[in-house]
Amino acid sequence: MKRKTRRLYAVLVGLCMLGAIAALVLAALEDDIVFFFSPTEVMEKGEIRADQRLRIGGLVETGTVHKGEDGVTNIFTVTDLANTIEVHYKGILPDLFREGQGIVTEGYYRNKVLVADEVLAKHDENYMPPEVADALKKSGKWEEGQPISEALKNGHVPDQAE
Amino acid sequence: MYAEIGHFALILALFVAVIQGVVPLVAGPMGSRRWMSIAGPASLAQFLLLVAAFGALMYGYISSDFSILNVVRNSHTDKPLLYKISGTWGNHEGSMLLWVVILATFGAAVELFGRNLPSGLKNRTLAVQALISVGFLSFILFTSNPFERLVNVPANGQSLNPLLQDMGLAIHPPMLYLGYVGFSIAYSFAVAALIEGRVDASWARWVRPWTLAAWICLTVGIVLGSWWAYYELGWGGWWFWDPVENASFMPWLAGTALLHSAVVVEKRDTLKSWTIFLSIVTFSLSLLGTFLVRSGVLTSVHAFATDPERGVFILILLCISIGGSFALYAFRGPSLMGGGLFKPVSREGALLFNNWILTTATGVVLLGTLYPLFVDVIGSGKVSVGAPFFNRVFIPIMTPLVILMALGPFLSWKRGDAKAILSRYYIVYAATLAAVVLTYILKGDSGWGGYFGMGLATWLGVGTLWELAERVKLGSIPLSKSFSRMRKQPRSSWGMTVAHLGLAIIIAGMTGAGNWKVESIQVMKFGEQIDVAGYTYTFEGVRDVRGPNYDALEGTFNVHKDGEFIVTLRAEKREYDTGGMPTTEAAIHTMFLGDLYAVIADESAGGYVTRIYWNPLVAWMWGGTAFLMLGGLISLSDRRHRVGAPKKSKLAHKTVAGEGVSS
């Protein structure tokens, strides 16, 4: 084989490998990425497939954290100060989880409840996840730099029962 | 007073760095060797100044000087001394200071241990190193001054986040930074070589030990972080494909590729341009990692409160250093072509394949990590890319690498004979098959991941040992001769064998921990029993205990297997005196085949919420990493890699390379 032919083969093999990897990555991106929604966006969406994983972020509403009947499921409400979503999480909440704190949670939306299998709170108590900060700003009830506790007090949070 | 001295030392260091960075590069083309050699003493001066600054900050922490804002925010008189010290770098300002201290340490080390380097290359390397330093020193001085004083001195500090008061995490950041910043040497050498327009085998021999040292530190840093997450966060997980974890994993992957391609440059004087490219990429990824962690642009479990202004500053630094070095590469790279030719099936070919895969894997991790940013920027919503994506893409990409990793060391340089190797590979085939069958017998029908992973680990482990056996001609010559051959093996090839073996053990560990984990969450009353993976846990009760600066609720579990007592596990939930968040201390009992892991949470329904895990083969992952590290250290101790090793070693290793026995 001449040097040029060999180089051609090498390039072809390389391209095929690259193509295969690109296909793999694209397929995985299609299936495995998780969209983030604020509680308001979930409300606006209306229909969400039961098998679609999603991420929800917001503040843990004060006074809503309690245990379910089995004693293991944690039930709480996440708010973006305009709308709220009930979250059920079976397991032990992260150490930094507490009321009034910005969190991100991931799971499936079923019967108007987010059945979560992951709750992310941060190592840093002053940290606000960027998505949550955005969601709060969008809801118009909070501005950058304003203490969260104040926003929670002033912001009108509609009662779920209404 | 000392804080002002520290601050002043920092400012002086910036000026020294400017001189060290600019003068040699300007003097070089003018042919003024005397002006160029200013880089050496300057690097030592810069190092001493930065150590003084860092020492001043550390003194502030140890003496709990609450007139310094940084100390107030991150320390407290009640903290044990160790965590007062580690508090120095447990915050943004201090950690950036540590970053430049390490950068200067590497610079000074090049000056001290690199006396045999050609003076042009050494001075230019130190100059490039100093330019990086200028960037980061101005970053510290203009946006994150650690020595800011307070007018109203508070009585006590706000303490270090309790989660970070931990032995593993005290040394995790310094190790990680040693790795990140250590790659700066390879980068500086690469840029210096581009400026000089000359790369040869000796260049690779000078760069490799630094890269290897950085790689070892980064490995240790990553594993410490993973280990910390495993026992401290109480989720029983050890790797989450979180952006911050990826930030340290990408330079590791690229650095691993660099280690291997530098071998080719050293032995065969080819792949030069590619190796230079990798050096630049590896350090760029380290910078990117620093940016991702420090700017908080991505949501991460490990994210800390951040300041956007700082992010922009690092981003600018990132653009200058990456853009500048790639422009230089584009300009000078093509002139580096040439060197020995080789067949696709050869040692060079195998190492090239290793590099393709490792860089592809790096690219995929980079894509997955930054994808949420792209999507956000083009305005099509907010997404997160998590473990499912990475597992699905990363495992298929890495599999061919692991398969080839067992075969590569058999191949000789220039032209290898794959058929001959595969035909005498029967022991490895048999062992792999046996491992798959054994996994099936022991674990039953528990998914293909288990068989696959165990098969792969065995393939690599046995293949590596088989290669060693063949190298020392075990069985074909008398045993004593085999032993003497074994003793004469160069350290670098021992290093390879040990490190590859380590990876095999890690793969087995990850397979076990990833596929056969058993998890159980429930409310337990006192005296209640529960079975998890064949172990019976009895909840004996809770009591309050007092630690040095916290109160803890301690839950006790007695664990039995088949009626026989195994261990008493004591899981804690701690409340630190300084307030803030409670922390979970999982109780872990490590055994050869797996970890017993228990966590206690709050009171509920007349009992306590408990989470119990069986984490199989976790110890293998940590043990395998120890092998990886050990392999690196053995290879580092090879006399060839000692900077300035006598010239005759060049001849010596040429003959060795000809036989195709060394790595």
Side-chain angles (χ1 to χ4, degrees):
Chain A
M1 240 188 314
K2 278 200 184 128
R3 209 173 150 183
K4 264 193 182 162
T5 344
R6 215 168 49 215
R7 195 182 294 164
L8 186 70
Y9 277 118
V11 169
L12 279 179
V13 170
L15 280 179
C16 286
M17 275 173 56
L18 218 71
I21 290 163
L24 190 69
V25 168
L26 287 176
L29 276 181
E30 178 112 16
D31 299 345
D32 294 333
I33 59 167
V34 180
F35 278 89
F36 175 93
F37 298 115
S38 71
T40 304
E41 284 166 329
V42 173
M43 291 296 156
E44 284 166 359
K45 275 227 159 211
E47 200 114 335
I48 290 174
R49 287 202 327 274
D51 63 341
Q52 190 196 341
R53 233 180 128 69
L54 59 144
R55 241 178 200 224
I56 283 174
L59 302 173
V60 181
E61 209 175 325
T62 318
T64 61
V65 184
H66 64 280
K67 289 262 187 309
E69 272 173 24
D70 60 356
V72 182
T73 304
N74 296 287
I75 301 172
F76 54 89
T77 308
V78 167
T79 174
D80 60 0
L81 302 175
N83 283 293
T84 61
I85 278 187
E86 189 173 307
V87 179
H88 289 190
Y89 172 66
K90 189 178 167 180
I92 296 177
L93 290 166
D95 292 328
L96 294 181
F97 180 94
R98 69 174 172 193
E99 297 185 338
Q101 170 113 357
I103 60 146
V104 170
T105 169
E106 199 173 307
Y108 299 93
Y109 192 62
R110 283 166 190 160
N111 302 323
K112 307 240 167 222
V113 165
L114 185 82
V115 183
D117 44 37
E118 208 178 327
V119 173
L120 305 178
K122 306 297 155 178
H123 297 344
D124 189 320
E125 9 195 313
N126 305 318
Y127 176 76
M128 171 87 88
E131 294 95 331
V132 176
D134 262 16
L136 292 185
K137 267 184 254 167
K138 252 190 248 165
S139 75
K141 298 289 197 305
W142 180 78
E143 274 156 35
E144 192 94 54
Q146 186 188 1
I148 297 160
S149 52
E150 216 171 276
L152 266 177
K153 248 182 276 160
N154 300 341
H156 167 70
V157 180
D159 204 19
Q160 202 102 66
E162 279 174 14
Chain B
M1 182 60 197
Y2 67 90
E4 280 67 36
I5 294 177
H7 193 181
F8 187 59
L10 208 57
I11 297 170
L12 276 183
L14 175 62
F15 283 113
V16 173
V18 170
I19 294 170
Q20 183 189 339
V22 175
V23 174
L25 293 185
V26 175
M30 301 183 338
S32 172
R33 284 190 165 261
R34 281 182 60 189
W35 279 103
M36 270 188 87
S37 61
I38 202 171
S43 71
L44 296 179
Q46 198 203 140
F47 168 69
L48 291 177
L49 285 167
L50 286 174
V51 167
F54 192 68
L57 185 63
M58 194 182 274
Y59 178 77
Y61 270 89
I62 294 173
S63 64
S64 292
D65 181 348
F66 295 121
S67 68
I68 300 176
L69 178 65
N70 195 258
V71 180
V72 175
R73 287 210 178 133
N74 302 291
S75 197
H76 193 277
T77 46
D78 286 351
K79 252 186 351 183
L81 180 65
L82 173 71
Y83 301 129
K84 280 183 187 164
I85 296 175
S86 73
T88 317
W89 56 77
N91 60 83
H92 170 78
E93 290 82 1
S95 75
M96 289 323 293
L97 187 54
L98 179 69
W99 212 99
V100 288
V101 169
I102 294 174
L103 192 68
T105 311
F106 275 106
V110 168
E111 165 62 15
L112 290 176
F113 301 116
R115 299 230 181 253
N116 295 26
L117 288 171
S119 74
L121 180 67
K122 187 182 79 182
N123 291 329
R124 288 195 175 93
T125 302
L126 287 174
V128 177
Q129 192 82 359
L131 289 179
I132 306 169
S133 193
V134 169
F136 277 88
L137 280 171
S138 24
F139 173 65
I140 294 175
L141 285 168
F142 295 127
T143 72
S144 1
N145 176 15
F147 294 109
E148 208 169 318
R149 287 275 198 182
L150 280 180
V151 181
N152 299 316
V153 177
N156 217 328
Q158 295 161 356
S159 197
L160 179 67
N161 185 339
L163 269 174
L164 305 184
Q165 295 191 23
D166 174 88
M167 191 58 214
L169 218 59
I171 42 177
H172 163 69
M175 292 313 280
L176 211 56
Y177 279 7
L178 276 172
Y180 272 6
V181 182
F183 287 131
S184 70
I185 295 284
Y187 172 88
S188 299
F189 264 109
V191 173
L194 282 176
I195 295 172
E196 298 200 327
R198 196 162 51 95
V199 179
D200 49 22
S202 52
W203 179 86
R205 213 162 50 248
W206 289 311
V207 171
R208 212 168 107 84
W210 298 105
T211 313
L212 196 53
W215 180 86
I216 296 169
C217 293
L218 189 58
T219 310
V220 175
I222 292 174
V223 171
L224 279 176
S226 172
W227 186 46
W228 172 80
Y230 175 68
Y231 68 72
E232 182 73 33
L233 296 181
W235 308 336
W238 36 272
W239 190 261
F240 305 97
W241 291 107
D242 180 271
V244 168
E245 293 171 348
N246 293 348
S248 62
F249 191 46
M250 288 185 283
W252 188 88
L253 285 170
T256 310
L258 175 60
L259 275 183
H260 289 87
S261 77
V263 173
V264 181
V265 180
E266 184 187 337
K267 294 278 164 61
R268 300 281 308 135
D269 204 27
T270 185
L271 297 188
K272 290 193 263 190
S273 177
W274 169 249
T275 304
I276 293 275
F277 176 77
L278 268 183
S279 308
I280 296 173
V281 165
T282 305
F283 184 62
S284 301
L285 288 168
S286 300
L287 287 177
L288 181 73
T290 310
F291 167 69
L292 287 181
V293 176
R294 286 291 144 209
S295 68
V297 290
L298 293 166
T299 304
S300 149
V301 206
H302 306 290
F304 297 86
T306 43
D307 177 348
E309 187 190 318
R310 291 170 177 171
V312 172
F313 203 114
I314 304 185
L315 194 62
I316 293 171
L317 280 184
L318 200 71
C319 292
I320 295 175
S321 60
I322 299 179
S325 49
F326 276 123
L328 189 62
Y329 176 76
F331 187 58
R332 281 288 174 85
S335 65
L336 299 173
M337 290 297 179
L341 293 172
F342 56 89
K343 294 266 178 197
V345 180
S346 62
R347 183 78 67 85
E348 296 95 318
L351 287 168
L352 186 61
F353 186 76
N354 148 308
N355 272 238
W356 277 352
I357 298 219
L358 283 172
T359 37
T360 309
T362 313
V364 166
V365 176
L366 183 68
L367 178 73
T369 309
L370 296 184
Y371 191 73
L373 275 185
F374 299 145
V375 174
D376 194 23
V377 167
I378 60 171
S380 43
K382 288 192 180 291
V383 301
S384 73
V385 177
F389 168 81
F390 289 105
N391 288 337
R392 184 162 153 189
V393 178
F394 197 72
I395 294 171
I397 292 180
M398 290 305 264
T399 302
L401 177 66
V402 177
I403 292 174
L404 206 80
M405 213 171 139
L407 297 170
F410 283 97
L411 294 169
S412 41
W413 295 102
K414 277 168 114 171
R415 179 199 293 261
D417 190 349
K419 259 190 210 150
I421 295 161
L422 287 171
S423 68
R424 42 174 215 265
Y425 219 48
Y426 45 91
I427 290 193
V428 184
Y429 302 135
T432 306
L433 193 66
V436 173
V437 172
L438 197 68
T439 309
Y440 181 77
I441 294 171
L442 289 177
K443 285 289 158 193
D445 191 16
S446 58
W448 63 273
Y451 316 132
F452 178 74
M454 284 306 180
L456 204 61
T458 311
W459 169 269
L460 176 59
V462 176
T464 303
L465 289 174
W466 183 239
E467 192 269 335
L468 176 69
E470 222 173 63
R471 223 188 309 149
V472 301
K473 303 198 169 153
L474 193 71
S476 59
I477 55 171
L479 205 58
S480 59
K481 282 203 175 152
S482 280
F483 272 117
S484 87
R485 275 185 78 97
M486 210 180 253
R487 266 203 310 278
K488 283 182 197 143
Q489 290 296 310
R491 296 245 179 109
S492 60
S493 59
W494 269 115
M496 176 211 69
T497 304
V498 172
H500 284 194
L501 212 53
L503 188 69
I505 300 171
I506 293 172
I507 293 173
M510 291 196 297
T511 305
N515 286 291
W516 305 318
K517 176 161 129 176
V518 183
E519 178 182 351
S520 163
I521 309 165
Q522 62 282 310
V523 175
M524 285 176 92
K525 298 189 169 64
F526 299 151
E528 201 174 315
Q529 289 192 335
I530 181 169
D531 269 10
V532 176
Y535 291 87
T536 310
Y537 293 71
T538 315
F539 186 36
E540 300 292 350
V542 294
R543 65 188 182 110
D544 293 320
V545 276
R546 171 78 202 156
N549 56 348
Y550 59 85
D551 285 311
L553 174 82
E554 184 189 85
T556 309
F557 301 85
N558 279 331
V559 186
H560 290 78
K561 184 173 190 171
D562 305 326
E564 213 169 300
F565 175 74
I566 307 279
V567 72
T568 301
L569 291 176
R570 295 178 204 282
E572 286 183 9
K573 200 168 174 61
R574 291 181 185 168
E575 301 250 5
Y576 281 79
D577 298 345
T578 44
M581 302 294 182
T583 74
T584 306
E585 297 290 316
I588 302 172
H589 178 64
T590 300
M591 295 179 298
F592 185 67
L593 286 179
D595 285 9
L596 306 173
Y597 189 112
V599 176
I600 184 156
D602 19 317
E603 223 170 331
S604 171
Y608 282 86
V609 177
T610 59
R611 193 164 192 169
I612 289 165
Y613 295 91
W614 165 247
N615 285 324
L617 303 186
V618 168
W620 292 38
M621 291 193 300
W622 316 136
T625 329
F627 268 74
L628 217 55
M629 205 178 73
L630 187 70
L633 286 172
I634 293 172
S635 184
L636 193 60
S637 71
D638 194 305
R639 62 186 296 276
R640 277 209 327 273
H641 289 149
R642 241 167 268 161
V643 179
K647 273 272 183 320
K648 68 174 186 196
S649 71
K650 195 175 171 185
L651 276 173
H653 87 254
K654 257 192 183 152
T655 48
V656 173
E659 284 170 33
V661 285
S662 93
S663 70

